[in-house]
Amino acid sequence: MLDQVLQSQIVAEELASSPHNLYHLDSIRDLVDSLEEHGKTSGLIMTMGKGGVGKTIAAATIACLLANRGHRVLLTTTDPAAHINDFLSQLDRIPDNLQVERIDPKVETQSYIQKIMLQKGVNLDENAKNLLLEDLQSPCTEEVAVFHAFSKAIHSASRQFVVMDTAPTGHTLLLLDTTGSYHKEVLKHSSLSATKIRTPYMALQDKEFAKIVLVALPETTPMREAADLQEDLRRAGIEPYAWLINQCLSALPQLKDPILKKRASAEGAIIEQIQTKLAHRTFGIPYLTEELVFPVLLSMNY
């Protein structure tokens, strides 16, 4: 029994003293540099991915870095959880040129219902108004209301940077499906030439205008989930701009814990697969353990 304990200690010491594979990834600052290329001062940037991979902190960091460089920025979210303010509250001061909004399904639905009632209910009697209001209580109304707010945010990206923290994959794909349906209806019924029409769906397909950043973790399952989302987007004619790999242990030079070092070494194969087979551009965020992660991330110059 004592021999086994001594052997385990020796193995642990060897693991702790052995170097792990330090893997270099361009930083989130490099990502922001690329978004500014050729003097760009506007455009749509959307962080997408499964829940829990770090879409919100990625969106908040990109927005603040752009704002700190003097750009006008709108930071918004379609995520019902809406954790953006949890990160921004960690800052001493939010830049004056950073506007923060939230696309709240309940608020947007109520606003949309009021708008329709004012437009269509003006000349209706009470019975007809009640029927119209009842019709507007359907689940479809929420989809349409959120889509209208989503479209408004996209439109504003023609004059400023709009950074959008999206809801987890399922909700986002549903929103994109609504966007696609609207696009088809516009093309079907419009009397304008197709060359003079620009729907939100077309804006998302414009690689110069819309930059989709897929956020993932350096683990097999999150990588596969992000790859599946990428294929869904490509089938819709939307090509992701870059992958952002969050919580990279392999980006940290000094790891002493043997378990963490083993995990860091295992990340290399996953990152390499993303870089060589999945992404046009790959950026990373190192694993951060500080309580106030957001200010630390903004101040890093790695």
Side-chain angles (χ1 to χ4, degrees):
M1 181 69 177
L2 182 59
D3 289 342
Q4 289 178 342
V5 172
L6 289 173
Q7 189 174 5
S8 297
Q9 288 177 342
I10 292 169
V11 171
E13 287 172 4
E14 288 177 349
L15 281 170
S17 61
S18 63
H20 66 279
N21 295 325
L22 189 64
Y23 208 98
H24 174 75
L25 280 170
D26 289 334
S27 72
I28 196 166
R29 287 181 179 272
D30 295 316
L31 170 57
V32 172
D33 288 343
S34 73
L35 296 171
E36 286 184 306
E37 280 182 348
H38 311 300
K40 285 185 69 70
T41 58
S42 63
L44 177 68
I45 302 149
M46 298 176 71
T47 57
M48 292 189 183
K50 283 283 187 178
V53 295
K55 296 186 303 298
T56 303
I57 194 170
T61 302
I62 292 168
C64 284
L65 288 174
L66 285 169
N68 288 339
R69 297 181 185 194
H71 298 289
R72 287 182 58 225
V73 183
L74 168 63
L75 173 60
T76 186
T77 180
T78 63
D79 190 348
H83 292 305
I84 280 180
N85 285 324
D86 294 344
F87 293 112
L88 295 179
S89 64
Q90 297 176 13
L91 301 179
D92 294 330
R93 176 179 167 275
I94 297 174
D96 294 334
N97 50 331
L98 175 62
Q99 180 184 355
V100 183
E101 291 183 356
R102 176 191 174 194
I103 299 177
D104 185 327
K106 288 186 172 55
V107 173
E108 298 300 336
T109 301
Q110 191 57 41
S111 175
Y112 178 75
I113 289 174
Q114 289 175 353
K115 178 181 175 182
I116 297 300
M117 290 300 295
L118 285 172
Q119 289 177 347
K120 296 187 176 181
V122 176
N123 298 317
L124 299 179
D125 58 30
E126 274 311 304
N127 188 48
K129 283 183 180 179
N130 289 334
L131 289 173
L132 176 59
L133 184 58
E134 184 178 343
D135 186 52
L136 289 170
Q137 302 300 325
S138 76
C140 295
T141 300
E142 182 176 307
E143 287 182 30
V144 173
V146 171
F147 165 72
H148 276 279
F150 177 64
S151 300
K152 182 180 176 183
I154 290 175
H155 180 70
S156 69
S158 61
R159 57 184 182 273
Q160 65 183 337
F161 279 115
V162 173
V163 183
M164 189 176 294
D165 167 38
T166 66
T169 303
H171 295 283
T172 298
L173 290 177
L174 179 61
L175 179 57
L176 292 179
D177 186 53
T178 305
T179 307
S181 299
Y182 174 80
H183 170 76
K184 291 175 184 176
E185 287 299 309
V186 168
L187 293 184
K188 186 188 301 182
H189 298 293
S190 178
S191 59
L192 295 174
S193 165
T195 58
K196 296 183 179 179
I197 297 173
R198 184 174 173 83
T199 66
Y201 193 71
M202 294 166 71
L204 295 176
Q205 292 176 319
D206 182 350
K207 291 187 287 187
E208 292 301 313
F209 176 78
K211 303 289 194 277
I212 310 300
V213 178
L214 295 181
V215 184
L217 300 175
E219 301 168 13
T220 302
T221 299
M223 176 188 68
R224 289 176 178 167
E225 290 172 340
D228 289 342
L229 172 58
Q230 178 163 263
E231 288 307 307
D232 287 332
L233 291 170
R234 283 174 172 169
R235 280 191 288 272
I238 301 170
E239 184 63 33
Y241 175 74
W243 281 52
L244 180 61
I245 308 173
N246 189 24
Q247 297 183 11
C248 294
L249 283 165
S250 53
L252 301 176
Q254 295 178 334
L255 288 175
K256 295 181 179 180
D257 184 89
I259 295 175
L260 293 181
K261 292 178 78 170
K262 187 175 181 180
R263 281 186 58 189
S265 295
E267 289 178 0
I270 295 170
I271 293 172
E272 185 176 359
Q273 186 171 350
I274 292 171
Q275 286 184 314
T276 58
K277 297 182 179 179
L278 295 172
H280 296 301
R281 304 167 187 81
T282 312
F283 302 90
I285 297 175
Y287 188 91
L288 299 173
T289 57
E290 287 84 355
E291 184 179 350
L292 297 180
V293 170
F294 184 54
V296 171
L297 182 57
L298 282 175
S299 64
M300 289 184 71
N301 287 308
Y302 79 104

